[in-house]
Amino acid sequence: MPLTSGPDLLVAVVTHTLPDTLEPVLRALCADGEDPARIVLFHTGAPSPAATRAVADLQAAWGVQAVCTPRAMRIGEARQFLVDQQRARGFIAFLDDDCVPLPGWTEAALAACAEAERTALVYGPRYPVLGAGVGSLIRAMETRDSRKLALAAAAPQAATTSPRALCAGGNTIVNIAAARELGLTEEMFARSAFEDVDFQLRATRRGWLVQFRADLAVDHHDQLGLRALFRKSLQSGRGMAQCARRHGAEFWAHCRWRPWRTLVAWFAVLAALAAGAVLNPWLATAAALPVVLSSAAHHRALHGALFAHRLTFLLIKPVRDLTIALGFLARYATLGTDRGTAPAPRTPAAAPQTTAPAQAPSSADRAARAGTTTGRPGDAAGRPVAPALRAERVAGL
């Protein structure tokens, strides 16, 4: 049976391009016992007849609600748009369309909301699943150094309040009251990333709590190519600069990445190459030293990986880090001294196109689609994954 008891929780599955990973997210939620009437398929892409048909088909198949933005919106703006439409107090769980909940996610979400009156944000780990694309490989290997996964490994059944780790907006629960008070995002993040981290740190500063739950876990089916990886890297650098300027030491206490390390390493490489060209060709071999140091610094990411994956990581990772660093420096140099003043009062967005399920599927239909013969949450462990999504877990990269 669906888990309908508990706090007022809306689960928004956010999608911009309606990828193949979207339906497995809905399937996993229903298999885990989530009430379809409490699930919103939230389409944030440009309106089109094809998108409308695809949303309607998924809505009819799974018995969920649907909300479509009147125009294409970036993720931060879209989340705020949905919050502005909620008249009741309660919580919204935001799931990206490539984050498939693991069994027990629904129970963990309800438990978190039941205890979270003064908690602005609850987030959980995202376990990477290797997909197609070089970007997917690089980001999957990077997560071996993730503070969130380290927290989950250290206390798999515990909740951590005020964790020293950056949240991941693709698997979060937001307190609507906090989102109304603080605003989920601000204009300065319109062309960058890290708007979710900014909300995390602003909420903490204003006396709200932030919580990490290891049992609020998802599989992250990242499908990032090389070009998209560098585009996201540049956006990440810009967002990090804004967070660093606004939150200072508090941001760096949560972040494991340091731009100056990358810049020093690249300066050493260029200096060695220049010395080799001008003075002695043998001096150019010193350019390999940063590569050796990088291998040592990323030993957890490289440990146990296939040789081809190690080589790809060692070639692409320094360029990705340089892209982040350049984005960071370019944005940081143009910023003022904003230290996180409260956002101006917001005007609620126009009412979205919202459709409730015309006819919810029967429990038997939902169970069949979810790949289980009963509605018990424990049965979700055996849910099937579409063949296109079958991939190695990070442990077997």
Side-chain angles (χ1 to χ4, degrees):
M1 296 293 292
L3 302 177
T4 56
S5 61
D8 185 8
L9 172 66
L10 191 71
V11 180
V13 180
V14 186
T15 183
H16 197 79
T17 59
L18 299 165
D20 292 340
T21 52
L22 175 57
E23 191 160 6
V25 176
L26 298 174
R27 179 184 299 119
L29 284 170
C30 292
D32 200 36
E34 183 59 77
D35 183 3
R38 207 160 51 186
I39 301 173
V40 173
L41 177 57
F42 185 31
H43 180 242
T44 65
S48 70
T52 300
R53 286 193 301 270
V55 169
D57 289 345
L58 288 168
Q59 181 185 9
W62 295 100
V64 300
Q65 303 178 63
V67 174
C68 298
T69 56
R71 57 177 174 79
M73 291 185 179
R74 287 183 59 84
I75 185 64
E77 181 188 12
R79 290 174 184 148
Q80 186 66 60
F81 177 87
L82 188 61
V83 165
D84 286 340
Q85 313 311 315
Q86 302 307 306
R87 301 295 176 237
R89 300 174 67 87
F91 303 86
I92 300 179
F94 289 103
L95 280 174
D96 282 355
D97 56 13
D98 58 359
C99 291
V100 180
L102 296 180
W105 185 94
T106 298
E107 186 176 350
L110 292 174
C113 295
E115 312 163 350
E117 182 179 353
R118 284 300 301 171
T119 299
L121 179 71
V122 182
Y123 64 102
R126 301 194 301 177
Y127 293 99
V129 176
L130 183 59
V134 174
S136 171
L137 170 66
I138 301 302
R139 300 218 303 179
M141 294 181 70
E142 284 177 336
T143 57
R144 291 178 168 179
D145 290 321
S146 167
R147 290 186 180 180
K148 291 183 285 293
L149 297 193
L151 280 173
Q157 303 300 324
T160 304
T161 302
S162 301
R164 290 295 186 180
L166 302 179
C167 73
N171 179 30
T172 57
I173 301 173
V174 171
N175 188 321
I176 293 176
R180 286 175 179 161
E181 176 186 327
L182 305 173
L184 275 181
T185 188
E186 297 188 27
E187 183 62 29
M188 67 187 302
F189 289 92
R191 296 185 179 277
S192 65
F194 278 63
E195 73 286 332
D196 43 6
V197 173
D198 175 63
F199 175 73
Q200 173 188 359
L201 298 177
R202 285 189 292 115
T204 301
R205 179 182 298 170
R206 293 286 292 271
W208 290 87
L209 298 177
V210 172
Q211 187 180 96
F212 173 84
R213 291 189 67 105
D215 52 356
L216 193 74
V218 299
D219 274 344
H220 187 201
H221 293 263
D222 198 1
Q223 306 291 313
L224 213 59
L226 188 60
R227 180 180 298 179
L229 174 69
F230 289 132
R231 183 174 63 251
K232 280 184 171 289
S233 300
L234 191 61
Q235 293 171 350
S236 294
R238 291 171 57 85
M240 291 174 69
Q242 290 162 177
C243 285
R245 174 70 81 176
R246 166 169 286 190
H247 302 286
E250 186 65 15
F251 170 70
W252 294 120
H254 287 73
C255 182
R256 59 186 169 86
W257 189 83
R258 299 292 185 270
W260 46 86
R261 294 175 185 168
T262 297
L263 294 172
V264 167
W266 274 93
F267 178 81
V269 169
L270 296 177
L273 293 176
V278 175
L279 301 176
N280 188 325
W282 284 102
L283 293 176
T285 59
L289 180 60
V291 177
V292 175
L293 295 177
S294 177
S295 299
H298 299 295
H299 66 279
R300 282 192 295 269
L302 297 169
H303 179 71
L306 300 176
F307 175 77
H309 292 170
R310 291 185 186 186
L311 183 60
T312 302
F313 184 86
L314 289 174
L315 290 175
I316 301 299
K317 172 65 173 171
V319 183
R320 165 168 160 78
D321 286 348
L322 179 62
T323 306
I324 296 175
L326 293 177
F328 180 94
L329 287 179
R331 182 59 177 147
Y332 196 86
T334 62
L335 289 173
T337 57
D338 179 12
R339 295 292 294 173
T341 56
R346 295 175 294 104
T347 302
Q353 175 188 346
T354 307
T355 54
Q359 182 177 3
S362 67
S363 58
D365 289 340
R366 288 196 301 269
R369 293 191 186 104
T372 177
T373 56
T374 71
R376 294 182 295 110
D379 292 331
R383 69 178 185 274
V385 178
L389 298 181
R390 295 189 185 278
E392 304 168 89
R393 278 193 174 274
V394 176
L397 287 174

Short mmCIF file of all heavy atoms in Angstrom, two decimals, residues 137-146 229 256 301 313 317 320-321 324:
data_model
loop_
_atom_site.label_atom_id
_atom_site.label_comp_id
_atom_site.label_asym_id
_atom_site.label_seq_id
_atom_site.Cartn_x
_atom_site.Cartn_y
_atom_site.Cartn_z
N LEU A 137 32.13 9.36 -16.56
CA LEU A 137 33.25 8.63 -15.97
C LEU A 137 34.03 9.51 -15.00
O LEU A 137 34.33 9.10 -13.87
CB LEU A 137 34.17 8.12 -17.08
CG LEU A 137 35.51 7.54 -16.61
CD1 LEU A 137 35.29 6.27 -15.82
CD2 LEU A 137 36.43 7.28 -17.81
N ILE A 138 34.36 10.74 -15.43
CA ILE A 138 35.16 11.62 -14.59
C ILE A 138 34.42 11.94 -13.30
O ILE A 138 34.99 11.86 -12.19
CB ILE A 138 35.51 12.92 -15.35
CG1 ILE A 138 36.28 12.61 -16.63
CG2 ILE A 138 36.30 13.87 -14.45
CD1 ILE A 138 37.56 11.86 -16.41
N ARG A 139 33.16 12.28 -13.39
CA ARG A 139 32.41 12.65 -12.19
C ARG A 139 32.18 11.45 -11.28
O ARG A 139 32.17 11.58 -10.05
CB ARG A 139 31.08 13.30 -12.57
CG ARG A 139 31.25 14.56 -13.39
CD ARG A 139 30.28 15.64 -13.05
NE ARG A 139 28.88 15.23 -13.19
CZ ARG A 139 27.86 16.05 -12.91
NH1 ARG A 139 28.10 17.28 -12.48
NH2 ARG A 139 26.62 15.65 -13.06
N ALA A 140 32.01 10.27 -11.87
CA ALA A 140 31.84 9.07 -11.05
C ALA A 140 33.11 8.77 -10.26
O ALA A 140 33.05 8.43 -9.07
CB ALA A 140 31.47 7.88 -11.93
N MET A 141 34.27 8.90 -10.90
CA MET A 141 35.52 8.64 -10.20
C MET A 141 35.80 9.72 -9.15
O MET A 141 36.35 9.45 -8.09
CB MET A 141 36.66 8.54 -11.21
CG MET A 141 36.55 7.33 -12.13
SD MET A 141 37.91 7.17 -13.32
CE MET A 141 39.27 6.74 -12.25
N GLU A 142 35.40 10.96 -9.43
CA GLU A 142 35.59 12.04 -8.46
C GLU A 142 34.83 11.78 -7.16
O GLU A 142 35.29 12.18 -6.09
CB GLU A 142 35.11 13.37 -9.06
CG GLU A 142 36.04 13.99 -10.07
CD GLU A 142 35.48 15.26 -10.66
OE1 GLU A 142 34.24 15.42 -10.65
OE2 GLU A 142 36.26 16.10 -11.14
N THR A 143 33.68 11.14 -7.26
CA THR A 143 32.86 10.96 -6.06
C THR A 143 33.50 10.00 -5.05
O THR A 143 33.03 9.91 -3.92
CB THR A 143 31.46 10.43 -6.42
OG1 THR A 143 31.60 9.20 -7.15
CG2 THR A 143 30.69 11.42 -7.25
N ARG A 144 34.54 9.29 -5.44
CA ARG A 144 35.22 8.45 -4.46
C ARG A 144 35.86 9.29 -3.34
O ARG A 144 36.16 8.76 -2.28
CB ARG A 144 36.29 7.61 -5.15
CG ARG A 144 35.71 6.55 -6.06
CD ARG A 144 36.80 5.78 -6.77
NE ARG A 144 36.28 4.60 -7.43
CZ ARG A 144 37.02 3.75 -8.14
NH1 ARG A 144 38.32 3.95 -8.25
NH2 ARG A 144 36.48 2.70 -8.70
N ASP A 145 36.06 10.58 -3.62
CA ASP A 145 36.57 11.50 -2.60
C ASP A 145 35.45 12.32 -1.96
O ASP A 145 35.71 13.26 -1.22
CB ASP A 145 37.59 12.47 -3.21
CG ASP A 145 38.89 11.78 -3.58
OD1 ASP A 145 39.32 10.90 -2.80
OD2 ASP A 145 39.47 12.10 -4.63
N SER A 146 34.19 11.96 -2.24
CA SER A 146 33.05 12.75 -1.78
C SER A 146 32.91 12.70 -0.26
O SER A 146 32.94 11.62 0.35
CB SER A 146 31.76 12.23 -2.44
OG SER A 146 30.62 12.75 -1.81
N LEU A 229 30.55 18.34 -19.75
CA LEU A 229 31.37 18.35 -18.54
C LEU A 229 32.09 19.69 -18.38
O LEU A 229 32.09 20.28 -17.29
CB LEU A 229 32.39 17.22 -18.60
CG LEU A 229 33.41 17.19 -17.45
CD1 LEU A 229 32.74 16.81 -16.14
CD2 LEU A 229 34.55 16.22 -17.77
N ARG A 256 35.83 20.72 -0.45
CA ARG A 256 37.15 20.07 -0.47
C ARG A 256 38.04 20.57 -1.61
O ARG A 256 39.22 20.25 -1.66
CB ARG A 256 36.99 18.55 -0.58
CG ARG A 256 36.24 18.09 -1.82
CD ARG A 256 35.99 16.58 -1.80
NE ARG A 256 35.07 16.16 -2.84
CZ ARG A 256 35.42 15.85 -4.08
NH1 ARG A 256 36.68 15.93 -4.43
NH2 ARG A 256 34.52 15.46 -4.95
N ALA A 301 40.39 7.98 -6.03
CA ALA A 301 39.64 7.95 -7.28
C ALA A 301 40.21 6.94 -8.26
O ALA A 301 39.48 6.31 -9.03
CB ALA A 301 39.64 9.35 -7.92
N PHE A 313 41.06 9.61 -16.82
CA PHE A 313 40.92 10.50 -15.67
C PHE A 313 42.14 11.42 -15.54
O PHE A 313 42.00 12.63 -15.34
CB PHE A 313 40.75 9.67 -14.40
CG PHE A 313 40.50 10.48 -13.16
CD1 PHE A 313 39.21 10.86 -12.82
CD2 PHE A 313 41.54 10.84 -12.32
CE1 PHE A 313 38.96 11.61 -11.68
CE2 PHE A 313 41.31 11.58 -11.17
CZ PHE A 313 40.02 11.97 -10.85
N LYS A 317 40.93 15.13 -16.04
CA LYS A 317 40.70 15.76 -14.74
C LYS A 317 41.48 17.08 -14.57
O LYS A 317 40.90 18.08 -14.11
CB LYS A 317 41.08 14.77 -13.63
CG LYS A 317 41.08 15.33 -12.22
CD LYS A 317 39.69 15.76 -11.77
CE LYS A 317 39.73 16.14 -10.28
NZ LYS A 317 38.46 16.76 -9.85
N ARG A 320 39.64 19.70 -16.54
CA ARG A 320 38.38 20.06 -15.84
C ARG A 320 38.67 20.99 -14.67
O ARG A 320 37.98 22.00 -14.48
CB ARG A 320 37.68 18.79 -15.37
CG ARG A 320 36.57 19.03 -14.34
CD ARG A 320 35.75 17.77 -14.15
NE ARG A 320 35.00 17.72 -12.92
CZ ARG A 320 33.86 18.36 -12.67
NH1 ARG A 320 33.36 19.17 -13.60
NH2 ARG A 320 33.22 18.20 -11.53
N ASP A 321 39.68 20.64 -13.86
CA ASP A 321 40.01 21.48 -12.70
C ASP A 321 40.44 22.88 -13.14
O ASP A 321 40.11 23.87 -12.49
CB ASP A 321 41.11 20.83 -11.88
CG ASP A 321 40.61 19.63 -11.08
OD1 ASP A 321 39.37 19.46 -10.98
OD2 ASP A 321 41.44 18.88 -10.54
N ILE A 324 37.36 24.86 -14.02
CA ILE A 324 36.71 25.35 -12.79
C ILE A 324 37.47 26.55 -12.23
O ILE A 324 36.87 27.57 -11.85
CB ILE A 324 36.62 24.22 -11.75
CG1 ILE A 324 35.72 23.08 -12.24
CG2 ILE A 324 36.08 24.76 -10.42
CD1 ILE A 324 35.69 21.87 -11.32
#
